[in-house]
């Protein structure tokens, strides 16, 4: 079962190297958290930050190539991440889908690359405002899951981030009831289409304007196992507070 809340930050394309190092140094001074903590950082900072990060902090990538290796200028493979001991990556973030044309077919390949190279994927899914207004939310989520995961993946592990696109970077958060309903839907889909064990072992994170004000009520919901946090992960004090919230909920659940 998912006993530990996961607080995951996503820096996106922010920070200089010096700013990144100062952030990790400031974070290193806090007591070892009871919750799990992960930071998805730009590729070029992976190695320098991994070298100075405390053991409890997972440094993750924000993307990987759908290809194994070869003539794909500018791409970074899952195998390259493995070779520098990076053990997790975001896949299919809505900004990748929206601005870089990533389709479910490409995301499926990326997932397989991650699985084959022991890189734990955080698969990002979520509906747009138009889709929600047209009552297509469940249909879209089901399609995003069904096009990339099959029963053959039952022995793999991944996390899922449910991030309604209309809530990302907009300051508008899904209510805890709206988020819980979708997390429950995702849990049931995994249970019915992959396996019950798989569903129980998969953490489902909420993302979309998650911050120090709303994290506690969101993370307290039964099918919300933590958050993928963009804007509020850029400031170290706010990230520390999110970790404290993650600790509180982890302690409550155990
Ligand atoms: P946000 O971003 O917290 O700034 O809304 C979340 C995300 O895109 O992962």
């Amino acid at each position: 079962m998912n006993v530990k809340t996961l607080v995951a930050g996503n820096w996106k394309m922010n920070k200089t190297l010096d700013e990144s190092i100062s952030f990790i140094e400031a974070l290193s001074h806090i007591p070892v958290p009871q919750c799990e903590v992960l930071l998805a950082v730009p590729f070029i900072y992976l190695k320098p930050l991994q070298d100075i990060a405390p053991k409890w902090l997972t440094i993750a990538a924000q993307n990987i190539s759908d290809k194994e290796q070869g003539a794909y200028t500018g791409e970074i493979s899952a195998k390259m991440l493995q070779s520098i001991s990076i053990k997790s990556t975001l896949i299919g973030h809505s900004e990748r889908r929206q601005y870089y044309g990533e389709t479910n077919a490409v995301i499926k390949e990326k997932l397989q690359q991650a699985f084959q190279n022991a890189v734990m994927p955080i698969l990002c899914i979520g509906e747009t405002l138009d889709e929600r207004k047209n009552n297509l939310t469940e249909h879209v989520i089901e399609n995003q899951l069904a096009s990339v995961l099959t029963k053959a993946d039952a022995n793999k592990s991944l996390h899922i981030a449910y991030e309604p696109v209309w809530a990302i970077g907009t300051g508008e958060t899904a209510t805890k009831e709206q988020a819980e309903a979708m997390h429950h839907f995702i849990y049931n889909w995994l249970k019915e289409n992959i396996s019950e064990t798989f569903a129980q072992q998969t953490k489902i994170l909420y993302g979309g304007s998650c911050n120090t004000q709303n994290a506690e009520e969101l993370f307290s919901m039964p099918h919300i196992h933590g958050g993928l946090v963009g804007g509020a992960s850029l400031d170290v004090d706010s990230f520390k507070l999110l970790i404290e919230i993650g600790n509180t909920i982890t302690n409550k659940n155990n």
Side-chain angles (χ1 to χ4, degrees):
M1 288 297 289
N2 299 295
V3 284
K4 286 189 176 185
T5 299
L6 172 57
V7 175
N10 174 14
W11 279 356
K12 310 190 179 186
M13 197 175 73
N14 289 295
K15 293 194 187 294
T16 62
L17 178 60
D18 284 351
E19 289 165 353
S20 307
I21 289 174
S22 305
F23 184 109
I24 300 297
E25 284 173 350
L27 197 60
S28 303
H29 296 124
I30 66 168
V32 176
Q34 284 90 54
C35 65
E36 288 178 19
V37 187
L38 175 150
L39 259 186
V41 305
F43 282 131
I44 57 167
Y45 304 153
L46 286 170
K47 183 77 174 90
L49 298 188
Q50 172 95 323
D51 287 347
I52 59 165
K55 273 206 178 65
W56 49 261
L57 174 63
T58 301
I59 298 290
Q62 298 174 2
N63 182 29
I64 50 166
S65 175
D66 56 325
K67 306 290 195 302
E68 194 179 341
Q69 62 172 36
Y72 302 104
T73 304
E75 289 291 282
I76 305 280
S77 70
K79 195 174 178 178
M80 291 172 181
L81 295 187
Q82 192 201 42
S83 75
I84 59 163
S85 304
I86 294 296
K87 299 197 165 60
S88 186
T89 185
L90 306 183
I91 290 185
H93 190 280
S94 66
E95 287 150 15
R96 302 289 323 165
R97 295 176 190 256
Q98 205 178 336
Y99 306 135
Y100 301 96
E102 282 188 18
T103 59
N104 285 322
V106 165
I107 290 162
K108 182 176 182 160
E109 295 301 317
K110 292 188 176 203
L111 266 186
Q112 291 305 321
Q113 286 300 322
F115 290 149
Q116 283 161 26
N117 290 283
V119 175
M120 172 82 157
I122 301 180
L123 169 68
C124 304
I125 56 177
E127 81 287 358
T128 63
L129 188 57
D130 264 4
E131 288 161 347
R132 179 161 281 261
K133 280 187 183 154
N134 289 307
N135 283 326
L136 292 170
T137 302
E138 291 189 355
H139 172 77
V140 168
I141 295 302
E142 184 163 15
N143 185 40
Q144 287 175 337
L145 290 169
S147 16
V148 303
L149 285 171
T150 68
K151 272 203 175 15
D153 300 312
N155 60 348
K156 311 283 186 353
S157 12
L158 85 165
H159 300 316
I160 290 177
Y162 168 64
E163 302 199 295
V165 178
W166 48 271
I168 295 181
T170 58
E172 194 174 335
T173 323
T175 63
K176 59 184 196 300
E177 292 81 12
Q178 279 173 325
E180 169 61 18
M182 288 317 298
H183 282 234
H184 200 175
F185 178 83
I186 293 164
Y187 174 85
N188 283 339
W189 190 91
L190 296 174
K191 186 173 151 189
E192 281 156 27
N193 295 279
I194 312 292
S195 79
E196 184 159 10
T197 314
F198 188 88
Q200 284 172 352
Q201 287 172 351
T202 302
K203 284 193 205 291
I204 309 174
L205 311 179
Y206 170 78
S209 299
C210 182
N211 56 39
T212 55
Q213 303 302 308
N214 56 32
E216 183 153 7
E217 62 173 25
L218 286 161
F219 298 176
S220 300
M221 301 306 277
H223 294 89
I224 302 185
H225 309 119
L228 180 57
V229 185
S233 73
L234 291 172
D235 174 72
V236 75
D237 290 329
S238 136
F239 197 61
K240 282 183 193 169
L241 268 175
L242 288 164
I243 295 173
E244 276 173 31
I245 294 168
N247 287 340
T248 306
I249 308 294
T250 301
N251 289 333
K252 256 191 217 161
N253 291 343
N254 284 285

